[in-house]
Amino acid sequence: LFYLSNIKPKKSPPKALQMSAQFSLFLFWVLFCFVFRRHLEKKYDKACEFCKKHKTRIHMYTLVSVTAYLAVVIAACSLNFQRALPLFIITVLAIFFICWDFLIAKYEDRIAAFFCPGERCLEKQWFWLKWVLYAALIIAIICWLIFDTAKQGSRQLISFGGLVLYVLLMFIFSKYPNRVAWRPVFSGIGMQFILGLLILRTEVGFAVFNWLGVQIQTFLEYSDTGAKFVFGEKYMNHFFAFKVLPIVVFFSTVMSMLYHIGFMQWLIGKVGWIMEIFMGTTPVESLVAAGNIFVGQTESPLLVRPYLPYVTRSELHAVMTAGFSTIAGSVLGAYISFGVSASHLLTASVMSAPASLATSKLFWPETEKPRLTLRGGLQMAKGESKNLLEAASQGASTSILLVANIVVNLISFLALLAFLDSALSWVGNLFDYPQLNFENICAYVFMPFSFMMGVDWEDSFIVGGLLGYKTFFNEFVAYERLSKLIHNRKKGGSMYIDGVKQYMTVSNIFYSTD
């Protein structure tokens, strides 16, 4: 008894007594587990019997609950539709996808059989039909360029020429240029074009993404409550440490909770399925590319972790390319807090997912036979947390490493950048050019690339410098520089002299519009 109660006796009990106590405790634990397991089995059987017995009543309660919810939605919309518009949209989307999943799960074979004759006919006529489609596509592109140039100006031709130039460069430096499959390349560029057209050129698309951006900004501001409690009322005095980094922690927590309940897997599966159908990419690379829209480069491959040992080199290259091309959800909030438009960041991340697959398949074409081609047999990995609170705690704990990486990288890279700028300025001073620094060098190197991307000529020098920071240093450094430019332009301060717009780098080198 002394041994089991952890009370230190005056005299140590004999070794045999200790062993017998340990053995008795082990037997008690085995008996407890056996009884508890039997108890759970009985409870589970009773629950199953209860559900079977009251199946009709449960269905009736579910129907009543759904009807009550719909009544609440209708009442809210009738009182003030503008105020209840988000609830209405969420409800409509939920009903649509529930019906979609139900039909696919129950009638997938019938749907496939219904479209099977059309698929066979398309395969038979594909030899001549593809040339008709190619000709129609070329005519459509020419007509678009003519009408859009007449309306928007010659800048659109520069962007189109830049797109052709980038595709040509990637084709020249491709691993296997004679093995390129052009369907995913053209499909990825086409999906990017359609997304950009819907989001940036239509009022509805622009309003939707602008509304999403505002909602994300509002949602991220809730992290201020925790930051204020931990760091005090004057936490804004240390903007980056106490304002930006808590957003990373908060967003990581929320994403972990959504991943636990299965919402992220469901959403990523839908987006990945769309890309797989339209682009002809494999399930693994499609899911990872879709996942990178919402999660980071480290987390998205974990969605298909059991299948990673079986991917081909081309699929692995696509996984890595997709990770580098999009913005991780955990740091998206940090970039928004810098002052960068949330709708622009969200648009860029969504459009980059299909473009990353197109780039990857052009740079490293598929030369092997993928083992995983059946979409129905691919299951995404689930979270390891046992409940929602544990998922939230794990998400917050996981962000510690991310926050630490951000902090140490910024300290080291900014210090290294200051030293490099000082050394370059000293070298430039020898030739009466003390303005020489790393940003100027990158600006001159990347200025043609930024101009071919569609940036105005007067802004291409600035964007070239930012591209250099992002390429050679750290994207956080580039966004920190970009935030300064955004704030200066909003204030209308040193960016304007006598009402004339000025163009400058962060190092205060001015370039007048004259």
PDB file of all heavy atoms in Angstrom, residues 147-159:
ATOM      1  N   PHE A 147      -9.658  43.451 -80.135  1.00  0.00           N
ATOM      2  CA  PHE A 147     -10.687  44.240 -79.452  1.00  0.00           C
ATOM      3  C   PHE A 147     -10.188  44.786 -78.121  1.00  0.00           C
ATOM      4  O   PHE A 147     -10.499  45.929 -77.752  1.00  0.00           O
ATOM      5  CB  PHE A 147     -11.946  43.380 -79.241  1.00  0.00           C
ATOM      6  CG  PHE A 147     -12.681  43.066 -80.506  1.00  0.00           C
ATOM      7  CD1 PHE A 147     -12.717  41.774 -81.007  1.00  0.00           C
ATOM      8  CD2 PHE A 147     -13.329  44.064 -81.219  1.00  0.00           C
ATOM      9  CE1 PHE A 147     -13.390  41.474 -82.184  1.00  0.00           C
ATOM     10  CE2 PHE A 147     -14.004  43.774 -82.396  1.00  0.00           C
ATOM     11  CZ  PHE A 147     -14.039  42.488 -82.885  1.00  0.00           C
ATOM     12  N   ASP A 148      -9.407  43.967 -77.386  1.00  0.00           N
ATOM     13  CA  ASP A 148      -8.935  44.422 -76.080  1.00  0.00           C
ATOM     14  C   ASP A 148      -7.881  45.516 -76.234  1.00  0.00           C
ATOM     15  O   ASP A 148      -7.827  46.452 -75.427  1.00  0.00           O
ATOM     16  CB  ASP A 148      -8.355  43.245 -75.292  1.00  0.00           C
ATOM     17  CG  ASP A 148      -8.270  43.535 -73.811  1.00  0.00           C
ATOM     18  OD1 ASP A 148      -9.291  43.945 -73.226  1.00  0.00           O
ATOM     19  OD2 ASP A 148      -7.184  43.366 -73.228  1.00  0.00           O
ATOM     20  N   THR A 149      -7.043  45.417 -77.260  1.00  0.00           N
ATOM     21  CA  THR A 149      -6.049  46.465 -77.498  1.00  0.00           C
ATOM     22  C   THR A 149      -6.721  47.769 -77.908  1.00  0.00           C
ATOM     23  O   THR A 149      -6.302  48.859 -77.483  1.00  0.00           O
ATOM     24  CB  THR A 149      -5.063  46.019 -78.594  1.00  0.00           C
ATOM     25  OG1 THR A 149      -4.451  44.787 -78.197  1.00  0.00           O
ATOM     26  CG2 THR A 149      -3.983  47.064 -78.815  1.00  0.00           C
ATOM     27  N   ALA A 150      -7.774  47.664 -78.708  1.00  0.00           N
ATOM     28  CA  ALA A 150      -8.502  48.868 -79.101  1.00  0.00           C
ATOM     29  C   ALA A 150      -9.163  49.546 -77.902  1.00  0.00           C
ATOM     30  O   ALA A 150      -9.312  50.770 -77.869  1.00  0.00           O
ATOM     31  CB  ALA A 150      -9.560  48.509 -80.142  1.00  0.00           C
ATOM     32  N   LYS A 151      -9.526  48.749 -76.891  1.00  0.00           N
ATOM     33  CA  LYS A 151     -10.204  49.310 -75.724  1.00  0.00           C
ATOM     34  C   LYS A 151      -9.239  49.711 -74.627  1.00  0.00           C
ATOM     35  O   LYS A 151      -9.386  50.780 -74.012  1.00  0.00           O
ATOM     36  CB  LYS A 151     -11.201  48.266 -75.173  1.00  0.00           C
ATOM     37  CG  LYS A 151     -12.041  48.777 -74.033  1.00  0.00           C
ATOM     38  CD  LYS A 151     -13.035  47.705 -73.581  1.00  0.00           C
ATOM     39  CE  LYS A 151     -13.892  48.216 -72.420  1.00  0.00           C
ATOM     40  NZ  LYS A 151     -14.859  47.182 -71.972  1.00  0.00           N
ATOM     41  N   GLN A 152      -8.228  48.879 -74.346  1.00  0.00           N
ATOM     42  CA  GLN A 152      -7.338  49.103 -73.209  1.00  0.00           C
ATOM     43  C   GLN A 152      -6.009  49.746 -73.597  1.00  0.00           C
ATOM     44  O   GLN A 152      -5.325  50.277 -72.729  1.00  0.00           O
ATOM     45  CB  GLN A 152      -7.055  47.757 -72.502  1.00  0.00           C
ATOM     46  CG  GLN A 152      -8.284  47.040 -72.006  1.00  0.00           C
ATOM     47  CD  GLN A 152      -8.928  47.729 -70.825  1.00  0.00           C
ATOM     48  OE1 GLN A 152      -8.285  48.471 -70.088  1.00  0.00           O
ATOM     49  NE2 GLN A 152     -10.220  47.472 -70.624  1.00  0.00           N
ATOM     50  N   GLY A 153      -5.613  49.648 -74.844  1.00  0.00           N
ATOM     51  CA  GLY A 153      -4.329  50.194 -75.258  1.00  0.00           C
ATOM     52  C   GLY A 153      -3.327  49.095 -75.569  1.00  0.00           C
ATOM     53  O   GLY A 153      -3.582  47.895 -75.382  1.00  0.00           O
ATOM     54  N   SER A 154      -2.138  49.509 -76.005  1.00  0.00           N
ATOM     55  CA  SER A 154      -1.114  48.554 -76.448  1.00  0.00           C
ATOM     56  C   SER A 154      -0.454  47.807 -75.293  1.00  0.00           C
ATOM     57  O   SER A 154       0.340  46.888 -75.533  1.00  0.00           O
ATOM     58  CB  SER A 154      -0.037  49.294 -77.245  1.00  0.00           C
ATOM     59  OG  SER A 154       0.558  50.304 -76.448  1.00  0.00           O
ATOM     60  N   ARG A 155      -0.736  48.195 -74.073  1.00  0.00           N
ATOM     61  CA  ARG A 155      -0.123  47.512 -72.927  1.00  0.00           C
ATOM     62  C   ARG A 155      -0.486  46.029 -72.908  1.00  0.00           C
ATOM     63  O   ARG A 155       0.293  45.198 -72.449  1.00  0.00           O
ATOM     64  CB  ARG A 155      -0.585  48.201 -71.639  1.00  0.00           C
ATOM     65  CG  ARG A 155       0.019  47.631 -70.375  1.00  0.00           C
ATOM     66  CD  ARG A 155      -0.523  48.360 -69.169  1.00  0.00           C
ATOM     67  NE  ARG A 155      -0.131  47.699 -67.941  1.00  0.00           N
ATOM     68  CZ  ARG A 155      -0.581  48.043 -66.736  1.00  0.00           C
ATOM     69  NH1 ARG A 155      -1.412  49.054 -66.610  1.00  0.00           N
ATOM     70  NH2 ARG A 155      -0.191  47.397 -65.668  1.00  0.00           N
ATOM     71  N   GLN A 156      -1.702  45.696 -73.399  1.00  0.00           N
ATOM     72  CA  GLN A 156      -2.122  44.300 -73.404  1.00  0.00           C
ATOM     73  C   GLN A 156      -1.245  43.470 -74.338  1.00  0.00           C
ATOM     74  O   GLN A 156      -0.977  42.298 -74.070  1.00  0.00           O
ATOM     75  CB  GLN A 156      -3.598  44.201 -73.836  1.00  0.00           C
ATOM     76  CG  GLN A 156      -4.534  45.126 -73.077  1.00  0.00           C
ATOM     77  CD  GLN A 156      -4.493  44.896 -71.590  1.00  0.00           C
ATOM     78  OE1 GLN A 156      -4.455  43.760 -71.119  1.00  0.00           O
ATOM     79  NE2 GLN A 156      -4.486  45.977 -70.811  1.00  0.00           N
ATOM     80  N   LEU A 157      -0.795  44.082 -75.438  1.00  0.00           N
ATOM     81  CA  LEU A 157       0.092  43.369 -76.363  1.00  0.00           C
ATOM     82  C   LEU A 157       1.430  43.066 -75.711  1.00  0.00           C
ATOM     83  O   LEU A 157       2.033  42.012 -75.961  1.00  0.00           O
ATOM     84  CB  LEU A 157       0.295  44.195 -77.629  1.00  0.00           C
ATOM     85  CG  LEU A 157      -0.932  44.369 -78.542  1.00  0.00           C
ATOM     86  CD1 LEU A 157      -0.590  45.283 -79.699  1.00  0.00           C
ATOM     87  CD2 LEU A 157      -1.422  43.017 -79.037  1.00  0.00           C
ATOM     88  N   ILE A 158       1.911  43.995 -74.883  1.00  0.00           N
ATOM     89  CA  ILE A 158       3.171  43.766 -74.169  1.00  0.00           C
ATOM     90  C   ILE A 158       3.029  42.586 -73.215  1.00  0.00           C
ATOM     91  O   ILE A 158       3.902  41.716 -73.125  1.00  0.00           O
ATOM     92  CB  ILE A 158       3.598  45.043 -73.423  1.00  0.00           C
ATOM     93  CG1 ILE A 158       3.842  46.187 -74.424  1.00  0.00           C
ATOM     94  CG2 ILE A 158       4.843  44.782 -72.586  1.00  0.00           C
ATOM     95  CD1 ILE A 158       4.125  47.514 -73.772  1.00  0.00           C
ATOM     96  N   SER A 159       1.913  42.529 -72.487  1.00  0.00           N
ATOM     97  CA  SER A 159       1.686  41.411 -71.558  1.00  0.00           C
ATOM     98  C   SER A 159       1.601  40.090 -72.312  1.00  0.00           C
ATOM     99  O   SER A 159       2.156  39.073 -71.868  1.00  0.00           O
ATOM    100  CB  SER A 159       0.397  41.649 -70.766  1.00  0.00           C
ATOM    101  OG  SER A 159       0.464  42.849 -70.044  1.00  0.00           O
TER     102      SER A 159
END
